[in-house]
Amino acid sequence: MTGCDVLRVPADGECDVLRGQDIVVADGVIAEVRPAAPVRPAPGDDVVDGRGLLAVPGLVNAHTHSPMVLMRGAAEDVSVEAWFNERVWPMESNLTAADVRLGARLACAEMIRSGVTTFADHYFFPEQIAEAVGETGLRADIAPTYFSSRGQEALEETVKFAETWHGAADGRITVSLGPHAPYTVNDTDLRTLAGHARRLGLRTHIHAAEHLEQTQSSLERRGSTPIGVLYETGVLEAGALIAHGCGIVEQDLPLLAEFAATTGVACCPKVYLKHALSPLTPVRELLDTGVAVAVGTDGAAGHNTLDVWEALRLVALTQKQAVRDATWMTVSGTLRLAFRGGARALGLAERVGALEPGMRADIVLTDLSGLHCRPLHDPRAALVYSTRASDVRTVVVDGRVLMRDGVLLTVDVPALRAETDARVARILDTSHGRAVQHYDP
Amino acid sequence: MTGCDVLRVPADGECDVLRGQDIVVADGVIAEVRPAAPVRPAPGDDVVDGRGLLAVPGLVNAHTHSPMVLMRGAAEDVSVEAWFNERVWPMESNLTAADVRLGARLACAEMIRSGVTTFADHYFFPEQIAEAVGETGLRADIAPTYFSSRGQEALEETVKFAETWHGAADGRITVSLGPHAPYTVNDTDLRTLAGHARRLGLRTHIHAAEHLEQTQSSLERRGSTPIGVLYETGVLEAGALIAHGCGIVEQDLPLLAEFAATTGVACCPKVYLKHALSPLTPVRELLDTGVAVAVGTDGAAGHNTLDVWEALRLVALTQKQAVRDATWMTVSGTLRLAFRGGARALGLAERVGALEPGMRADIVLTDLSGLHCRPLHDPRAALVYSTRASDVRTVVVDGRVLMRDGVLLTVDVPALRAETDARVARILDTSHGRAVQHYDP
């Protein structure tokens, strides 16, 4: 990668931009970031011309259900209860393994195109997602969704998936265990899964404290907050990626702080706004506890896109307003969440999230020459407040080019689109009255 | 325009999409929208192939300060007071007429590219903006910004601008009078301007009740809300486009309802979030009074883009959350605000805002084939929740093609960018300590 500017995202303080750098990659790892110099590439070297472009770390989508792209736009303007019980969970009961494979491939294609290089997935038919990740070249942490209503055999299958797939695709695939939520998975199962997580050195990816009503309901029904349940059942101790956490309350903070090094919270504001939830993820309080806060989209049945640029912008905007402080959730702070926060939340901080020697080479070249970015007083501000997914030009994961100058290299988009269009009518049909689960948190 | 799908935006009820239509344009006006049929174009006919694309009315940016694109990204992470007094108003004191001309051209180019065909501008050196609109082919309502601190001669100049430019560029340019706000323009001047507005048959475009603190301050200082001041001084009676209105309170609603037919309120949520303001524009209450509610970006020094897709999505998302009702501010309702609401708010409802016979031919062809829109269960939902400005392919204003398949035809972008880059250092310099005004609402 030659002659590009490079975004530096430090663990603390302001981000900055190094002008005119070469990024040298060897064996999928960043070997060096150095001022650009004319070099003669050795035979077999793949040189990407980065002149005029800004290299940023690959974005991390810290919480999604990738195959739900199949239901994009099919559940609008409904309450959160109707969204689950009348639309999404009935549609999900239609899904076959082949549908999930297709949806995951479509999602991977969309994420590559928008500069996402790593995603945390939580879904059914996880093998299909793993295959799609393997094929398309992305990096993913995959959690197989588990409800207690599915029974012990299903639980054992999720553990078997973890044992089989963790570390696959040259390490690009990691696995977390995936109990859906404390209101759909009982404490016994949570304890069992936490035990497996500790045994296997994995984390748990779980929806918890999605909104304040859920926290209140949990307190009334059982005397513990959802975070309290994760603490009591050993889920937090084993390490957890918590989706949403909008209902995290003050008494939860010390519990999270105790295991801060291995806890992440994924903030997905577009779906909170769309589902009219309030308050939002308490990001300021969470950062104070030391847990990793990351940016996610959630599934496209709610978020409509898998665009992490859109999500990170909404994190900045909504968090400023939530705490009534325009000077907070700064440009640098927001970029830190999206890159380093995402990496930490997925337990991948040693591998991705920054363009530094020793990190896996997950690199995104963005073009900030568009009219919506000019004049370019501050490229960091442009990344948070002006950039669109369509400004992503080239995407590299683990040193392999997945998109070059806007052309996807690992996905046949027309074939994928045709196959999708052939399946959607069946997937949207909810006349059967089935559902994967009933929502009543 | 042949073979395209066409979005219909009715005055009430659901939007829908007509498949495979031809839009026939004559003399800048939509003559017919009819099912596509093979026709042999007459010599001189300009045929735009719309197959595979969705035609929507041109977007209306109902409140902006177009030349502020020059300060994009130069005032981040500051309070609203510091934004005005330390950053923007000092920078604006550097602006020359030539800067404003350049900024307006850059803004017009950005808006054309993103499918905005009409904008309501409020700025200094309005002749320069009018020239830029004339050159680039857009439609605009231009209000010359006036502060009472500028004195009577400046007031008379704004009236003279209105007399000279209203109806220019074949009617594409209209003028509103532009008192900045009730806290920077005294009541005598407001009354004088309202009188001129009535005499000339124009409206007033004014910032008012920008946030609740401003309303409270107005009540304390003078016993009236900002909307009350507009009522008492005759501004509402003459017809007004009110920017923001986040501080509109219950007692204002009957005053607005009295002149609902000629009152518009522009909602620009990105800047409210970014400046940590709360509450947001009370859109539901405003719609109940019958006033037109429209979508705007505000200037790019706050909004960073002039992207009305981004703005309308944020209206939907933030309004759902503000009233805690996910079933409100529906997809159809949001599209209606962005198209018909914008047209009504600018007093242009007879001319633009819908693709119907008799309307001026302001037509935008969007491409919903991108991965972020597929599968396309509902193109209306895609327009609100998935579409990006980069999905706009072709833009027609008053029957003239301004962008064809992504190529801008009325703007020399490289020259514009070079000229901008040469000017920005001077514009950003605030070491002189001057400002156009002091902010203390």
Side-chain angles (χ1 to χ4, degrees):
Chain A
M1 198 129 328
T2 59
C4 52
D5 295 341
V6 173
L7 179 75
R8 281 206 304 195
V9 184
D12 290 296
E14 295 279 303
C15 298
D16 62 0
V17 172
L18 299 174
R19 304 289 173 180
Q21 303 285 305
D22 290 342
I23 304 176
V24 184
V25 173
D27 295 330
V29 172
I30 297 175
E32 199 177 357
V33 180
R34 63 187 184 203
V39 285
R40 189 178 302 177
D45 279 7
D46 183 4
V47 177
V48 176
D49 185 354
R51 284 174 297 174
L53 302 174
L54 173 63
V56 303
L59 286 164
V60 179
N61 187 347
H63 175 66
T64 190
H65 313 283
S66 66
M68 292 181 89
V69 292
L70 296 170
M71 300 161 214
R72 190 196 309 271
E76 301 300 340
D77 300 328
V78 291
S79 70
V80 67
E81 290 76 18
W83 190 87
F84 276 114
N85 289 331
E86 295 169 24
R87 306 295 304 146
V88 170
W89 280 351
M91 289 191 281
E92 283 185 334
S93 76
N94 298 327
L95 293 177
T96 66
D99 294 334
V100 166
R101 175 71 154 272
L102 181 70
R105 284 164 62 210
L106 194 63
C108 287
E110 182 186 352
M111 286 192 275
I112 296 170
R113 189 171 277 301
S114 63
V116 173
T117 57
T118 301
F119 66 105
D121 216 12
H122 198 298
Y123 215 60
F124 314 104
F125 301 107
E127 302 81 4
Q128 303 298 326
I129 299 169
E131 297 280 4
V133 169
E135 288 166 23
T136 57
L138 274 174
R139 186 183 305 282
D141 184 86
I142 303 170
T145 302
Y146 173 72
F147 298 114
S148 286
S149 60
R150 300 213 147 188
Q152 284 310 297
E153 200 178 326
L155 187 147
E156 281 153 28
E157 273 171 25
T158 72
V159 175
K160 196 170 158 205
F161 170 77
E163 290 169 340
T164 310
W165 283 94
H166 185 65
D170 302 323
R172 287 187 287 110
I173 294 175
T174 55
V175 175
S176 292
L177 297 179
H180 172 261
Y183 59 87
T184 49
V185 179
N186 63 42
D187 288 12
T188 307
D189 285 350
L190 287 176
R191 273 183 232 283
T192 303
L193 287 166
H196 285 295
R198 274 193 305 275
R199 175 177 65 81
L200 297 166
L202 306 179
R203 296 188 181 185
T204 295
H205 180 176
I206 186 165
H207 303 82
E210 296 170 297
H211 46 78
L212 203 54
E213 291 77 4
Q214 211 173 83
T215 301
Q216 285 158 345
S217 161
S218 177
L219 278 165
E220 282 162 24
R221 291 189 194 187
R222 49 180 302 166
S224 276
T225 66
I227 300 301
V229 173
L230 301 189
Y231 184 88
E232 292 151 20
T233 53
V235 172
L236 283 189
E237 186 186 352
L241 170 55
I242 298 166
H244 313 313
C246 303
I248 289 175
V249 291
E250 204 176 341
Q251 71 194 78
D252 296 328
L253 299 175
L255 310 184
L256 294 165
E258 187 175 335
F259 300 110
T262 54
T263 302
V265 179
C267 177
C268 314
K270 187 173 176 182
V271 297
Y272 314 148
L273 297 176
K274 201 171 171 195
H275 289 153
L277 304 179
S278 179
L280 306 177
T281 316
V283 173
R284 180 134 73 176
E285 290 79 359
L286 288 169
L287 289 175
D288 286 345
T289 68
V291 306
V293 177
V295 178
T297 61
D298 208 344
H303 198 276
N304 298 66
T305 71
L306 300 177
D307 180 348
V308 176
W309 299 105
E310 183 183 7
L312 75 88
R313 184 175 305 172
L314 281 172
V315 168
L317 292 170
T318 57
Q319 287 294 320
K320 281 176 184 288
Q321 201 215 20
V323 304
R324 302 295 306 274
D325 181 356
T327 69
W328 187 66
M329 194 48 79
T330 60
V331 161
S332 287
T334 305
L335 293 172
R336 185 158 30 246
L337 292 198
F339 298 118
R340 286 195 184 263
R344 266 189 66 201
L346 272 64
L348 298 172
E350 308 298 314
R351 292 192 229 175
V352 300
L355 299 180
E356 294 173 0
M359 290 286 191
R360 303 303 305 178
D362 291 7
I363 310 169
V364 170
L365 286 179
T366 57
D367 178 358
L368 304 185
S369 72
L371 285 163
H372 54 293
C373 295
R374 307 308 293 203
L376 186 63
H377 297 311
D378 185 342
R380 301 166 303 178
L383 291 172
V384 176
Y385 290 117
S386 305
T387 303
R388 300 176 187 134
S390 50
D391 298 330
V392 171
R393 287 286 166 273
T394 292
V395 174
V396 173
V397 175
D398 237 29
R400 178 184 178 200
V401 182
L402 305 187
M403 180 169 84
R404 188 186 289 264
D405 204 20
V407 179
L408 291 170
L409 302 179
T410 59
V411 188
D412 178 352
V413 174
L416 197 56
R417 251 193 345 228
E419 205 187 331
T420 307
D421 290 347
R423 283 170 188 266
V424 291
R426 179 179 48 74
I427 293 169
L428 261 61
D429 178 19
T430 58
S431 62
H432 47 68
R434 293 190 310 271
V436 292
Q437 179 79 17
H438 183 75
Y439 181 76
D440 178 27
Chain B
M1 198 131 326
T2 59
C4 51
D5 295 342
V6 173
L7 178 75
R8 281 205 305 193
V9 184
D12 290 295
E14 293 279 305
C15 298
D16 63 358
V17 172
L18 300 174
R19 304 289 171 180
Q21 302 285 306
D22 291 341
I23 305 176
V24 184
V25 174
D27 294 331
V29 171
I30 297 176
E32 201 178 354
V33 180
R34 64 187 185 201
V39 285
R40 189 177 303 177
D45 279 7
D46 183 4
V47 177
V48 177
D49 184 354
R51 282 175 298 176
L53 303 175
L54 172 63
V56 303
L59 286 164
V60 179
N61 187 346
H63 176 65
T64 190
H65 313 282
S66 66
M68 293 181 88
V69 292
L70 296 170
M71 300 162 214
R72 191 196 307 274
E76 302 300 341
D77 300 326
V78 291
S79 69
V80 67
E81 290 76 18
W83 190 87
F84 276 114
N85 288 329
E86 294 169 26
R87 306 295 305 149
V88 171
W89 280 351
M91 287 191 282
E92 284 187 334
S93 76
N94 297 326
L95 293 177
T96 65
D99 293 335
V100 166
R101 173 73 154 269
L102 181 69
R105 284 163 61 208
L106 194 63
C108 287
E110 181 186 354
M111 285 192 276
I112 296 169
R113 189 170 277 303
S114 63
V116 173
T117 57
T118 302
F119 66 105
D121 216 13
H122 199 298
Y123 215 61
F124 314 103
F125 301 108
E127 301 82 3
Q128 303 298 326
I129 299 169
E131 296 280 4
V133 169
E135 286 166 24
T136 56
L138 274 173
R139 187 183 304 282
D141 184 86
I142 304 170
T145 302
Y146 172 71
F147 298 115
S148 285
S149 62
R150 300 212 146 188
Q152 284 310 296
E153 201 179 324
L155 186 149
E156 281 153 29
E157 272 171 26
T158 71
V159 176
K160 197 170 156 201
F161 170 77
E163 291 169 339
T164 309
W165 283 95
H166 185 64
D170 301 324
R172 286 187 288 109
I173 294 175
T174 54
V175 174
S176 291
L177 297 179
H180 172 263
Y183 59 86
T184 50
V185 178
N186 62 44
D187 287 12
T188 307
D189 285 349
L190 288 175
R191 273 183 231 283
T192 303
L193 287 166
H196 284 296
R198 277 193 302 275
R199 175 175 65 82
L200 296 167
L202 305 179
R203 295 188 181 185
T204 294
H205 180 178
I206 187 166
H207 303 83
E210 295 170 297
H211 47 77
L212 204 54
E213 291 78 3
Q214 213 173 81
T215 300
Q216 286 158 345
S217 161
S218 177
L219 278 166
E220 282 162 25
R221 290 187 196 188
R222 47 179 305 165
S224 277
T225 67
I227 300 301
V229 173
L230 300 189
Y231 185 87
E232 292 151 21
T233 53
V235 171
L236 282 189
E237 186 187 351
L241 170 55
I242 298 166
H244 312 314
C246 303
I248 288 175
V249 291
E250 204 175 343
Q251 70 192 81
D252 296 328
L253 299 175
L255 310 184
L256 293 165
E258 188 175 335
F259 301 110
T262 53
T263 302
V265 179
C267 177
C268 313
K270 186 173 177 184
V271 297
Y272 315 148
L273 298 175
K274 201 171 171 195
H275 289 152
L277 303 179
S278 180
L280 307 178
T281 314
V283 172
R284 180 133 74 173
E285 289 80 359
L286 288 170
L287 289 175
D288 286 344
T289 68
V291 305
V293 176
V295 178
T297 60
D298 208 344
H303 198 277
N304 296 65
T305 70
L306 300 178
D307 181 347
V308 175
W309 299 106
E310 183 182 7
L312 73 88
R313 183 175 304 171
L314 282 172
V315 168
L317 293 169
T318 57
Q319 287 293 320
K320 280 175 184 289
Q321 200 215 21
V323 304
R324 302 295 305 273
D325 181 356
T327 70
W328 188 66
M329 193 48 78
T330 61
V331 162
S332 286
T334 305
L335 293 172
R336 185 159 30 247
L337 292 199
F339 297 118
R340 286 195 184 263
R344 265 190 67 201
L346 273 63
L348 297 172
E350 306 300 313
R351 293 192 228 173
V352 301
L355 299 181
E356 296 174 358
M359 290 283 191
R360 304 302 305 179
D362 291 6
I363 309 169
V364 169
L365 286 178
T366 57
D367 178 359
L368 304 185
S369 70
L371 287 163
H372 55 291
C373 295
R374 307 309 293 202
L376 185 63
H377 298 309
D378 185 343
R380 302 164 302 178
L383 291 172
V384 175
Y385 291 118
S386 304
T387 303
R388 300 176 188 134
S390 50
D391 298 330
V392 171
R393 287 287 166 274
T394 292
V395 175
V396 173
V397 175
D398 236 29
R400 179 183 177 199
V401 182
L402 305 187
M403 181 167 84
R404 188 187 287 264
D405 205 20
V407 179
L408 292 170
L409 303 180
T410 58
V411 188
D412 177 351
V413 173
L416 197 56
R417 249 190 350 226
E419 204 187 332
T420 308
D421 289 347
R423 283 171 188 265
V424 292
R426 179 178 47 74
I427 293 169
L428 261 61
D429 177 20
T430 58
S431 62
H432 47 68
R434 292 190 312 269
V436 292
Q437 180 80 17
H438 183 74
Y439 180 77
D440 178 26

